[in-house]
Each structure stands twice: as structure tokens, then as C-alpha cells.
Amino acid sequence: MQANDVRVLKGAAVPTLVVGLVAVIVAAVLTGAGGALGAGIGVVLVAAFFTVSLVAVSWAGRISPVAMMTAAVVGYVVKVLAIMAALTAFGGTTAFDSRVFALATILCTLTWTVGEMRGFMKLKLLYVEPDAEVPGRGR
């Protein structure tokens, strides 16, 4: 991973883990151990999926811009489908509070997305190569 990608990862992961910790504590107080377990599983699920996605996009970015965009779009679709599948699969479980699991997953997903957007907006990246040669223009 490049330094910029690590900064974006930290900018998204740290707030997500803080929000997740608060969700686990609140769930433990309001719903007991089952709620805390559900919230904890939701936090881990979001952190794992989004970290893998960011690493994949970073890796694809070293290949080409087209590969990076493809990885970003495919990664987004896979994340959404996988999280929906997990929410559906654990909907009726009795091992933990599935409602708290769903709420923590959604809350952490929103937090990660906002943190990632903020991280990318703070980067000072050029979107045009300053020394690139333009076809048809002589030097």
C-alpha cells in the first residue's frame, strides 16, 4: 500500500472502531451480552470487508487506472451483497441480538464511508500530470 492509501485506511478505520466500541458498550448496557456480541460481530464484519476492499483497490491502482476503477466498482458491489447476505443470514439467529448486529453494521458502514470520503478529500493528489505531453502540441 502507498502512504496515501494508509492514511485513508487510518482515516476510515479509527472512527469506525471508535463508533463500534461505543455501539458495543451501549448494546451491552441496553440488551446485555447478546447485544454486545451482535454489535461486535457487526464491527468486525464491516472492518474486514472494507479493509480488504481498500487494499484491493490500492493494489489495482498500481496496475492501471482502468483496473483500479474496475476493482472499486466490483469491490463495492461485492461488499454490498456480502453485507446484505450476512444481515439476512443472521436475521433469525438466537446466538446474539440480530437487531443490534444490523444496527451496528449499518452505523459502522456509514462511519467508514464518511471517514474514507474525508480521507480522500484531504489528500493532495494531482489529477492531471503536469509534465505530460499533449498530442498535437509542440514543445
Side-chain angles (χ1 to χ4, degrees):
M1 284 186 100
Q2 296 177 354
N4 290 335
D5 297 328
V6 172
R7 278 189 282 179
V8 171
L9 180 62
K10 284 181 186 176
V14 170
T16 301
L17 294 177
V18 169
V19 167
L21 180 61
V22 170
V24 169
I25 293 169
V26 169
V29 170
L30 296 179
T31 62
L37 180 61
I41 292 170
V43 173
V44 170
L45 179 78
V46 169
F49 283 176
F50 280 74
T51 300
V52 168
S53 176
L54 188 60
V55 169
V57 170
S58 173
W59 174 79
R62 285 185 274 162
I63 296 171
S64 75
V66 173
M68 185 175 82
M69 188 62 186
T70 303
V73 171
V74 169
Y76 176 78
V77 170
V78 168
K79 277 189 299 195
V80 168
L81 292 175
I83 288 175
M84 284 175 40
L87 291 173
T88 303
F90 293 129
T93 188
T94 57
F96 54 84
D97 191 332
S98 60
R99 184 174 179 180
V100 174
F101 166 72
L103 290 173
T105 301
I106 292 168
L107 185 63
C108 287
T109 298
L110 293 173
T111 303
W112 186 286
T113 303
V114 169
E116 202 171 47
M117 287 180 355
R118 183 175 178 269
F120 278 117
M121 288 190 319
K122 288 178 69 175
L123 291 178
K124 305 272 192 257
L125 297 176
L126 297 173
Y127 59 92
V128 175
E129 293 292 331
D131 296 328
E133 291 186 29
V134 178
R137 295 186 87 191
R139 284 201 172 220

